[in-house]
Amino acid sequence: MNHAATYYDELTAATQNVSYGKVLADAKTFAVVQGRELLRKSLENVVQKQAKQIDQDEKKRRHDGALAAELDDIAESRRDKTQHLWERSESSGCTANAAPA
């Protein structure tokens, strides 16, 4: 929005000291040249903001994916240890329901 305000102020200043009969022509020239620049800057800002948001989303997605993979690895490791302990206890004849001696 401040680009538009600056553009308006510059257009007003550009037409202040123009000789009679040339105000419209000079204003049109200014509007075309500077208007293109205003549009370019506006588009550049929008694209940069979108690119930054996409980059942040991608970093978050990668981080979340890496975290999920790490949690999967931890869970798998614990399942393996639990399975190993279970098999060991079964092979040694221990059962969970056995009465204490």
Side-chain angles (χ1 to χ4, degrees):
M1 285 303 219
N2 63 352
H3 291 298
T6 301
Y7 172 79
Y8 176 79
D9 292 341
E10 290 174 356
L11 176 60
T12 302
T15 57
Q16 290 297 316
N17 298 320
V18 177
S19 61
Y20 181 77
K22 295 193 82 187
V23 173
L24 185 57
D26 284 3
K28 284 181 180 180
T29 300
F30 180 90
V32 168
V33 173
Q34 295 303 317
R36 284 184 185 139
E37 183 62 17
L38 172 65
L39 290 174
R40 187 196 65 74
K41 285 179 183 178
S42 298
L43 289 170
E44 181 180 9
N45 285 338
V46 168
V47 170
Q48 285 177 347
K49 285 180 183 179
Q50 289 292 326
K52 184 177 180 179
Q53 184 62 47
I54 289 168
D55 188 46
Q56 288 173 346
D57 292 348
E58 180 63 21
K59 284 179 182 176
K60 184 180 183 316
R61 187 189 64 74
R62 283 194 310 257
H63 176 265
D64 290 350
L67 181 59
E70 187 175 340
L71 291 174
D72 286 345
D73 289 346
I74 291 169
E76 184 176 342
S77 173
R78 288 188 177 172
R79 278 191 301 272
D80 290 347
K81 286 179 184 177
T82 302
Q83 181 66 31
H84 176 71
L85 290 172
W86 181 258
E87 289 169 357
R88 237 175 93 185
S89 68
E90 285 182 337
S91 67
S92 66
C94 296
T95 61
N97 295 329

